[in-house]
Each structure stands twice: as structure tokens, then as C-alpha cells.
Amino acid sequence: MATTTDTVLEVCDLRTHFHTDDGLVKAVDGVSFSVRRGETLGLVGESGSGKSVACLSALRLVPTPPAAHPSGVIRFAGKDLLTLPERDLERLRGNRLAMIFQDPLTALNPYLSVGRQLTEVLEVHEGATPAAARRAAIEMLTRVGIPAAGQRIDQYPHQFSGGMRQRVMIAMALLCGPEVLFADEPTTALDVTIQAQILDLIGELQASLGTAVVLVTHDLGVVAGTADRVAVMYAGRIVEEGTTAEVFANPLHPYTQGLLASMPRIDTPSRQRLAAIPGLPPDLGQLPSGCPFHPRCQQAGDRCRQAYPEVVIASPTHRAACWETEAVS
Amino acid sequence: MTGYLVRRVLELVPTALVIIAASFALVRLAPGSPFSSEKEISPEIRRQLEAKYGFDRPLPEQFVRYVRNLLQGDLGLSTKYPQRSVNEIIATGFPVTLSLAAVALVWSLLVGMTAGIIGAVRQNTVWDHSAMMAALVGISVPSFVLGPLLVLLFSLRLQMLPPAGWGDWRHLILPGLTLGTIYAASIARLTRGGMLEVIRSDYIRTARAKGLAERLVITRHMLRGGLLPVVSYLGPAIASMLTGSVVVEKIFNLPGIGPYFVDAAFNRDYFLVMGIVLLYAFFLLLMNLVVDLLYGLLDPRIDHA
Amino acid sequence: MNASQPEPAAPMRSSPDGLVAGSSLWQDAWRRLRKNKMAVASGVVIAVLGLACLLGPTLLAVAGGYDPDAQDLAYGPQPPSWQHPFGTDFYGRDLLVRVLAGGQVSLAVGILAALIAALIGTIYGAVSSYAGGLVDSLLMRVVDILYALPYMFLVIILVTILGQSLVLLFVALGAVGWLLTARVVRGQVMSLKEQDFVLAARSLGTSGRDIVFRHLIPNTLGPVIVTFTLTVPSMILQEAFLSFLGLGVQPPHPSLGSLINDGANQMLVFWWTLVFPGGVMAVLLFALNFLGDGVRDALDPRMRT
């Protein structure tokens, strides 16, 4: 069991709000989590639950406006990322804190060769000479499994396949051996057969570099295979958090239960229908009162409509925010 | 790349032929004749004149002869200025027009791109709003209003620049500004639009996530994609600058090619009209080709192989 | 075109009824346009100027006996006064009436020529892309060639051929100005014709002509309107350009272009002869361009910059 000194990144009470034509949208509203060295945290939720915005906020990559400056505290290397001067933050981004994105086609610059996009990271952060940066880039491309990296480095993103592009993204993110990697739906845009390869690759590199990974996904299957711990997000907040084993074996929050029930499993009879969660995710501009999940929750009672639930603690690592859950602490 | 170039140049041949035929038809099928304006002209002299220029022949024969001469670089004789060939007139006037257009182009690119980039990078700030307001004013003030106003200010009040006429480079500044401002305004709007499209794109977020400083994000990652709309605008812009020079040359009394054209069209100076139209059309085709090549160089996704 | 496209980073879901709402697209656009204060102000300016130009000359003639064309050489040029708010010109004619009458010509030519251009361009573009294949490439090749011609020269030739009548002037402008609309509509139809509702219509046995006119063209209305609103000022500019060169509306009838030409020649002595026609022209174009921008933003929020 890792000790708390292993914690590399700690997010406390993060709030990112957007000012839109339709009013204030609380995309992230009081999110706290932490990751340890070498650990993978799965951040799970439906689209619009705020999981991507939470990651982008951590690196202050959400454009302001329309977003307001995120509030809260994000501790990394003894500093608060949210109050750090822009220049200091630039030194951390891409260097000690890296990020990979959902769609590698749009996330890579179509006008620059892959090599240029890789080498600039090393030139900026490590002051590498062009020749040294190129050597390191080829080495990293080889390491992420791009054949003939020496030739392909001079090609442009459109000349790569989807899976290869994501490998390039990963290479770019890991060039400087970051301590934390945010992976925002890294496999969603890829073919199913490629997905496993990419996840394995991230896992391998993580193990050798000791990187902490925050894996954002809507796919519980991905989480089950790769994450050590899981945080489930709903309507801008974390509603349940625990080790992967705990959450899968004993989901406390009705929303988590619903997600798990809607997941196809090998061990359920194939004729049994998958249980979908009724209703739609809420409009973040007009959240219902109390627990935002109550309109879709079959267990909801009066308390759920009136106030946001208190935290229920099931184990030192497992907790959920729900009034009605039958957790035993 | 060479193969592509050869193909593009070969493609120009039919286009050029159509343009020659169409402008020949348009000019020659028009009512009136080059000699109708001169009143006291006896049928005898008229016949002689027509024979001199070959107008007594059937039209198809004239067309063939015109194209044959054209291939040898001979654009024919002017009927309005009987002592001068069309080649001579173009040779004296076109360099003036071209340098005017060049000054206007440099001015419009410099001012337009700067304003557009500032507008996009500082979106929705005072900088942005004033740049775009200035651009809209620039688009809305026609050259024939702007020109006289500039003369009034810089030549007559401040006495900094010559008001009109032709001499050294200083005679090109006010005409260049007059001609270029409207394009500067369009380029500013296009630049801003192109840059904003890019600014919101995922790969700019990636560039920031890599820890690049804002200056590097702009110069290395945004400019290329952001300026592509400007590049594709350059072809039509240069075309329109050349024709727009007609008015500017008139305002500033420059000895360019423009005034000849209006005159020639009025007087049915067949060969001169044709000569100028073909010269401009040729120039435009060339510019469009250059712009296409430039576009291909800037955007690696366009494959000229 | 999704009417309710959120900002890319904003975590909102696009409304699920975004596509169904055919009429709500127009309501949305109207709502957005009304929220744009500058566009509304421009619309008011255009309405006031339009009314003044439409009714002004007649009212002033009936009420005060002002005649835009009646000369009074003895009276001569007078600076602005209560009796002649814009002053009088070299021939002693009231400039306000002349500017309003000129504005009438400008607006009429601008709107009619833009309408002609929109009509030709829409049909041409829709037919071209719906036909596809060889027909499409041929028709588009024609557009390319016309693009490569010096556009204004073509108009000048047309005007000198057709003679200087007002009707022919806007026919000439419209006949050459449809290229952009044709390209826009073609692009739009290209993407539309693969969509399910067209396939459905075809599977029901609807004729090609009905599909083009009943299904495709109505769906290109948005971009066509945007192009139209931005074509009006450019047509007005071109009419003024021609009149400035003496090729447009003929004296003694006024046009903004010819008034500006007169004014530019005498601006040193009689400044008001340049400032008022030039100012009205600039304000008109500015308002039209601003309204055009507003309409574009309202109809296609994605293009909002």
C-alpha cells in the first residue's frame, strides 16, 4: 500500500464554471481527487459530466472566456497550479505534466511534420539541440511502436493511421518523462482492436517511467482493465470513489450501479436485457435541486430532492455521495 | 511537383483559347466600328483604313490571323493611335500599373495581416474591436473617395507627397494606399477569421499542453493554417487590384494602362481592347497558378505529386 | 448547419431538436440579428437613407421646387446653407436633391443587380452540382474561366457595347456578378444532395427538376441570402466605379459615382461637392456591409468570429 507521500497530484475542490448565453454552467463543481506515483485513476462519467473539463482545468487549458478562471487548489510539486504564473506553468506543461487527447487527427497540427511537433517539446523544455532532439524523438517513436521511425518522423499527421497517430501523441506526451499524464478518452476515436494496444502501451510506459495516469473515459470496460482506482463523475461532481475492485464489487451510488448494470458482461445470460439508466444527463445550466441524479434515480426519496447528499464512507478508500445507499461502514 | 506544374500549364492552353475567342467575339460583334467616330471620312479612305487593319476580311479569317500574330507576340496596331502598336502602348503603360499594384499589395498584406492577427489573438478586446471597425470603414470607403481625401491631406495640407503625376517612387505612395486600403481591410477580416478558426482547434490546445510559450504557439502553430484563407484570396485580389487601378490611375493621373482601356473600349479600338484584356487575363491565370502552388506548399495535405 | 452549436469547449449538449426545426432556424436567426445592436442600427440607417432617396427628390420637388437637373449658372456653387443643406454645385443645382437622386440610382442598381446575380448564380450552381459528372465539370470550368477574366473590364466592354442605359447597366453588373453565388450554392448542394431527404424524394419518383427547385434550392436559401446581402454593397460600389469613369448613369442625371467624380475635380475650391456625396456613399456602404455581416452571423453561427 502506497503512503501519502507518494501522492504526486492533489486536486481540492476544483470548480470550473462557464458563462454562456444560457446562463452559468457549472461544468466542474467541487471536485477533489489525488493520484500517486505509478497509479492509474479512472475518471468515469457520461459525456457532459465534467470529467474532461476537470483535466483541462488542472493544466489551465480551458479557454477563458467562456470559462471563468477555475477555483480551488491543485497541488503539484509543492505548488498550486491554479495560482502559478503562466510562465512557470508553461515549464511544467508537456514536461512534468502531460496530456493526450481523444482525437489524434485534430490534436496534431496538420501543417507541421510529426518530427517538428515532437522535437519542439525537447527544445523548449530541455534545451536540446535540433540533432539531439531528433535522435530522442526517433527513439521515442520506436518505443511507442512506430516502425521505420527514422523515415516516418518527416511525414505529416495525415499520412498516419488513427492508431499510429495516437501513438505519436503518446510519444509526444511522454518525451520528457512526465510525472502525471492526463489521458482524455485516449481510445474513444479508435477501432476496438487498436484500443487494447494503445491501453497496453500506456500501461507499459507508465510502469517504466513511474508516471501517474488520470484516465478519463466513459467506458467502464476500459477502467476495469487498467485503473487502480475509480472516480465516478455526475453533473460536475464526483459521486463515488474507490479502488476498482471495491467499486465494481460493491457499487454504492445508484448511478454507479446503473452504469455497471448497463455494461455488457460475459457472465450474464445473453438473453437478459441490459438495464439502461432511464432519462438523460441533466442540463448543467439548470441542475435539479438536491442530488442532481434524483430525477433518474429509482431509490430517490424526499431528502434527495432537498439537499445534496452527505458522503457515505464504506472503507478508508471507498466513499460515495448518496442519501439512500445501504452502505455499511 | 514538376509533373503537376506541367499539367497545370497545359491546362491553361484551352482556357486561354476560350478567353481569346470569347473576347474576340465580344469585341467584334459589338455594334459600331473604330472609324465611326471620325465624321469627315470618305468611303474611299475608310476602305483604305479597313484594308490596312484587315477589317475587310471575313471574321473567321481575321480571328485566325489574330491568333497567329498573337503567338508571335504581335498584338496588332491601335486604331485610335495609328502611329503606335498595341505592344508599344502596353510596354509603356503596364510597368506603371504593375508597380502601382505591387505597392498596393504590399501595403494591404502588411496592414491587413497585422490587424487581423491582433484582432484574433486579442479577440473581443478594444484592440480587436477597433481593428475590425477600421477594416469595415476601409471596405466601405471607395477608392475614388479615399484618393481625393488623401491628396487633400498629404499633398495639399501637409505638402509631404506629390498630388498626382508620374516621376519617382513618391508618386506611387498615395495611389498605392488608395488602391490597397480596401484589400487591407478584406485581408484583415480574412486573417482574423482564419486565425480564430485555428485558435479554437484541438491542435492549438495540444501546443499549449506541450508547454510552448504563447508567442511560439502563435508563430509556429497558428499562422500557417490561419493565413491559408488569405492565400486563396490573393488570386482574386490581385485581379481586382489590376482592374481597380483604372480608377486610381485616373485620380492620380498616372500613365498606366487603365485609362487606355476605357478609351479603347469607347473608340472600338479592337486590338488595343483585346490586347489589354488578354494581358490581364494571362496575368491572372499566372497569379492563380502561383497562388495554388503556394497553397500546396503551405498545406502538406494537398498533394501535388 | 446546426442552429444551436455550442462553443467547442463548453460542456453543453446540442439541442436534440436542432435538425427538425426548419422554421426555428429562421426564428433563431431573427432573434440573433435583433440582438446585434450594430446590425439593427445599420438596418435603421439603411431604411432612413432608402426612404429619403426614394421619396426625398419628389417631396423636395413638390414642396420647394428643387429640381436635381435644373441648372442655374448665375447662382453657381454655394456652400451649405439652410436653403441648400449640402450646398449647390458648379451649375447651381441643389446638392442634397442630387445626392438623394443619385442614392436612388445606387440603391436600385445595387439591389436589382444583386438580385439578378443571386438568381442566375443559384440556378446555375444548383443545376451544375445536381447534374454532377461531366456537366458539372464543364459548367464549373466556365465559372473558372470567367473568374480568370478581368471582371470589371468585362463590365466595361458590356456597357460600351450595350450603351449607357440604366437597365442595361444593372443587367451587365448582374450578368457578371453571379459567379460567387454559383460557387456557394454548388458547394451547398453538393453536401445536401447526398442527404437522406433527397434520396427519399428520388425514391418516390420525384423528377430531377422538382428535386432541384423544391428540395435543394430552398435549402440553400441561408447562404444565398448571406451572399446577396454582401453583394448589394459591392454592386453599388461597382456602379459608382463605372459612373466615376463616366460609363454609368449619364449627365445631367446624377449618380453618387459621377457626383463624387465632379466633387473630386473641384474639392480644393468647393469642398462640399466631394464631402457630401462621398460621405453618403461611405455611410451607405458601411451600413450595408455591417448589416450583411450581421445577417451572416445570424444565419450561420459557426461562421461567427
Side-chain angles (χ1 to χ4, degrees):
Chain A
M1 197 77 221
T3 61
T4 46
T5 51
D6 274 349
T7 299
V8 284
L9 180 88
E10 192 177 6
V11 174
C12 300
D13 199 30
L14 176 69
R15 288 168 203 271
T16 309
H17 296 175
F18 289 85
H19 299 285
T20 70
D21 289 346
D22 305 322
L24 188 68
V25 172
K26 299 178 177 178
V28 177
D29 198 27
V31 162
S32 305
F33 61 83
S34 61
V35 270
R36 299 185 195 96
R37 200 182 130 73
E39 180 190 50
T40 299
L41 171 72
L43 205 53
V44 185
E46 291 166 292
S47 53
S49 62
K51 53 198 195 305
S52 292
V53 179
C55 284
L56 289 169
S57 304
L59 287 179
R60 298 219 313 251
L61 287 174
V62 182
T64 54
H69 194 83
S71 74
V73 177
I74 298 177
R75 263 191 286 280
F76 174 79
K79 296 171 189 125
D80 177 11
L81 296 182
L82 291 183
T83 54
L84 210 57
E86 189 68 26
R87 295 297 294 267
D88 295 343
L89 187 63
E90 275 165 13
R91 264 177 225 133
L92 296 178
R93 282 184 194 147
N95 186 14
R96 299 175 65 185
L97 297 161
M99 187 153 187
I100 54 184
F101 298 97
Q102 175 171 345
D103 186 352
L105 177 60
T106 57
L108 290 170
N109 190 330
Y111 305 112
L112 297 178
S113 73
V114 160
R116 188 78 200 92
Q117 298 185 56
L118 287 165
T119 52
E120 66 180 357
V121 179
L122 292 163
E123 288 168 16
V124 166
H125 292 302
E126 299 182 353
T129 63
R134 187 182 166 86
R135 246 177 286 122
I138 293 175
E139 193 184 314
M140 186 48 99
L141 284 177
T142 312
R143 201 163 159 196
V144 298
I146 291 184
Q151 280 100 59
R152 302 217 70 180
I153 189 168
D154 292 319
Q155 294 186 333
Y156 291 88
H158 71 274
Q159 291 163 304
F160 287 73
S161 69
M164 285 295 159
R165 271 184 222 129
Q166 196 59 291
R167 286 171 192 267
V168 170
M169 268 311 286
I170 293 169
M172 199 187 301
L174 297 181
L175 269 174
C176 294
E179 283 139 84
V180 182
L181 173 70
F182 294 94
D184 185 1
E185 305 257 13
T187 58
T188 307
L190 304 177
D191 286 345
V192 186
T193 47
I194 312 285
Q195 286 186 8
Q197 293 176 17
I198 294 293
L199 289 172
D200 287 347
L201 176 66
I202 294 175
E204 276 167 38
L205 294 165
Q206 173 186 22
S208 66
L209 295 168
T211 304
V213 175
V214 179
L215 179 69
V216 174
T217 179
H218 64 276
D219 187 344
L220 278 173
V222 168
V223 168
T226 48
D228 302 304
R229 288 191 301 122
V230 184
V232 180
M233 280 190 75
Y234 188 81
R237 304 196 202 209
I238 291 180
V239 294
E240 179 160 1
E241 189 187 350
T243 65
T244 307
E246 283 170 333
V247 172
F248 276 72
N250 178 27
L252 299 176
H253 199 281
Y255 177 63
T256 317
Q257 292 162 5
L259 281 182
L260 285 169
S262 64
M263 207 177 127
R265 293 169 74 114
I266 301 282
D267 54 352
T268 46
S270 59
R271 251 177 249 156
Q272 189 179 322
R273 286 188 56 177
L274 292 172
I277 302 174
L280 289 168
D283 181 345
L284 291 172
Q286 289 161 322
L287 284 180
S289 62
C291 172
F293 187 63
H294 82 251
R296 300 170 73 187
C297 183
Q298 277 148 358
Q299 299 163 34
D302 285 341
R303 269 191 306 183
C304 303
R305 293 181 187 86
Q306 283 151 12
Y308 195 83
E310 283 166 15
V311 172
V312 178
I313 296 173
S315 84
T317 51
H318 192 192
R319 57 182 66 195
C322 180
W323 288 121
E324 298 293 330
T325 188
E326 292 140 24
V328 202
S329 51
Chain B
M1 193 66 186
T2 327
Y4 172 78
L5 196 62
V6 171
R7 205 180 71 229
R8 281 298 306 266
V9 172
L10 284 181
E11 266 177 22
L12 291 185
V13 175
T15 312
L17 271 177
V18 172
I19 291 177
I20 295 171
S23 50
F24 188 85
L26 196 61
V27 172
R28 297 309 298 273
L29 296 179
S33 108
F35 311 116
S36 57
S37 57
E38 279 137 86
K39 299 200 174 74
E40 305 296 323
I41 190 169
S42 68
E44 184 59 30
I45 296 175
R46 193 192 174 95
R47 252 195 307 282
Q48 276 179 11
L49 278 171
E50 285 184 342
K52 178 184 171 193
Y53 291 99
F55 296 151
D56 50 350
R57 302 294 177 152
L59 267 185
E61 193 187 320
Q62 288 187 44
F63 179 67
V64 172
R65 188 195 292 182
Y66 183 77
V67 174
R68 202 188 300 136
N69 288 340
L70 193 64
L71 287 176
Q72 288 158 2
D74 178 8
L75 293 166
L77 289 172
S78 161
T79 48
K80 175 81 187 303
Y81 311 95
Q83 307 313 320
R84 301 176 68 185
S85 73
V86 174
N87 294 50
E88 268 173 52
I89 295 176
I90 287 179
T92 49
F94 196 54
V96 177
T97 301
L98 215 51
S99 36
L100 170 62
V103 172
L105 184 66
V106 170
W107 159 253
S108 62
L109 282 175
L110 226 60
V111 172
M113 281 170 28
T114 312
I117 291 170
I118 292 176
V121 175
R122 301 252 175 279
Q123 195 194 354
N124 292 329
T125 62
V126 183
W127 293 92
D128 179 23
H129 292 314
S130 21
M132 286 308 113
M133 193 57 97
L136 211 52
V137 172
I139 286 179
S140 305
V141 178
S143 55
F144 41 85
V145 175
L146 181 64
L149 290 178
L150 288 179
V151 170
L152 206 57
L153 182 65
F154 288 101
S155 306
L156 304 173
R157 282 283 135 76
L158 300 174
Q159 311 245 328
M160 284 163 62
L161 291 161
W166 180 238
D168 55 15
W169 58 273
R170 291 182 306 143
H171 288 89
L172 277 176
I173 293 185
L174 287 185
L177 296 197
T178 304
L179 182 57
T181 296
I182 201 164
Y183 303 98
S186 298
I187 289 172
R189 284 153 59 100
L190 277 174
T191 307
R192 180 175 176 274
M195 290 287 286
L196 282 180
E197 195 122 307
V198 170
I199 281 176
R200 293 186 192 139
S201 64
D202 285 359
Y203 65 82
I204 293 304
R205 191 176 61 188
T206 309
R208 294 213 173 91
K210 289 197 286 191
L212 303 188
E214 192 60 23
R215 197 175 39 82
L216 204 56
V217 172
I218 293 172
T219 53
R220 188 178 293 165
H221 286 268
M222 283 183 196
L223 279 187
R224 253 219 220 183
L227 291 182
L228 283 181
V230 176
V231 173
S232 32
Y233 171 69
L234 281 185
I238 292 171
S240 158
M241 268 182 208
L242 282 176
T243 44
S245 64
V246 176
V247 160
V248 175
E249 282 163 6
K250 184 179 173 210
I251 297 172
F252 291 95
N253 204 13
L254 289 176
I257 208 89
Y260 282 110
F261 182 77
V262 179
D263 239 28
F266 260 120
N267 293 309
R268 301 281 184 274
D269 194 338
Y270 292 147
F271 293 131
L272 188 52
V273 171
M274 289 277 303
I276 296 176
V277 167
L278 292 186
L279 173 74
Y280 276 35
F282 170 76
F283 199 76
L284 296 186
L285 289 175
L286 192 71
M287 280 301 132
N288 282 329
L289 182 60
V290 170
V291 163
D292 278 2
L293 290 177
L294 194 62
Y295 203 96
L297 281 181
L298 285 173
D299 189 345
R301 283 169 299 182
I302 292 175
D303 194 5
H304 285 332
Chain C
M1 274 207 302
N2 189 342
S4 53
Q5 188 79 34
E7 290 289 304
M12 294 182 299
R13 287 163 294 115
S14 58
S15 101
D17 51 42
L19 273 179
V20 194
S23 67
S24 117
L25 173 85
W26 298 102
Q27 285 163 4
D28 270 8
W30 178 238
R31 189 174 48 82
R32 273 194 294 266
L33 188 62
R34 270 185 324 190
K35 264 171 70 178
N36 184 341
K37 289 195 195 83
M38 286 301 288
V40 172
S42 302
V44 172
V45 168
I46 293 166
V48 169
L49 266 178
L51 270 180
C53 292
L54 192 66
L55 305 174
T58 322
L59 285 180
L60 284 169
V62 173
Y66 294 92
D67 179 343
D69 298 340
Q71 301 185 5
D72 185 354
L73 278 169
Y75 191 68
Q78 301 289 331
S81 62
W82 283 113
Q83 205 190 349
H84 302 290
F86 283 10
T88 58
D89 71 0
F90 190 74
Y91 300 99
R93 296 174 291 201
D94 179 78
L95 209 53
L96 174 62
V97 184
R98 285 183 69 76
V99 166
L100 290 181
Q104 209 172 53
V105 173
S106 289
L107 280 169
V109 169
I111 292 170
L112 284 172
L115 270 180
I116 292 176
L119 197 69
I120 300 178
T122 306
I123 295 175
Y124 193 97
V127 168
S128 175
S129 62
Y130 184 76
L134 192 63
V135 180
D136 183 36
S137 344
L138 265 177
L139 289 178
M140 279 302 131
R141 197 84 201 115
V142 171
V143 171
D144 286 346
I145 290 177
L146 288 176
Y147 245 100
L149 281 176
Y151 163 81
M152 211 57 210
F153 282 20
L154 220 57
V155 175
I156 291 175
I157 295 178
L158 278 179
V159 167
T160 51
I161 291 174
L162 298 174
Q164 277 115 36
S165 101
L166 196 56
V167 178
L168 293 175
L169 180 65
F170 62 68
V171 170
L173 281 173
V176 192
W178 52 272
L179 300 172
L180 180 64
T181 316
R183 280 197 171 168
V184 168
V185 168
R186 177 173 174 272
Q188 191 75 8
V189 170
M190 283 301 242
S191 64
L192 280 172
K193 74 173 184 175
E194 299 305 327
Q195 285 181 14
D196 289 347
F197 73 97
V198 175
L199 297 180
R202 202 179 297 160
S203 71
L204 289 172
T206 314
S207 73
R209 215 187 69 186
D210 273 9
I211 290 180
V212 169
F213 284 93
R214 306 255 298 272
H215 293 273
L216 294 179
I217 289 184
N219 275 297
T220 62
L221 211 52
V224 169
I225 288 176
V226 171
T227 319
F228 172 79
T229 43
L230 292 170
T231 308
V232 173
S234 100
M235 289 294 176
I236 289 180
L237 194 58
Q238 275 150 24
E239 182 276 323
F241 184 103
L242 289 174
S243 294
F244 182 84
L245 291 174
L247 295 168
V249 178
Q250 290 304 298
H253 298 300
S255 136
L256 286 179
S258 58
L259 290 174
I260 292 167
N261 187 21
D262 293 346
N265 289 331
Q266 346 166 340
M267 64 178 173
L268 283 184
V269 204
F270 317 125
W271 56 269
W272 58 92
T273 55
L274 172 66
V275 167
F276 287 111
V280 167
M281 176 101 219
V283 168
L284 182 63
L285 289 176
F286 186 74
L288 283 169
N289 279 322
F290 225 118
L291 183 68
D293 277 6
V295 168
R296 185 195 57 202
D297 293 348
L299 274 174
D300 190 353
R302 276 180 323 168
M303 283 171 70
R304 175 155 39 184
T305 49

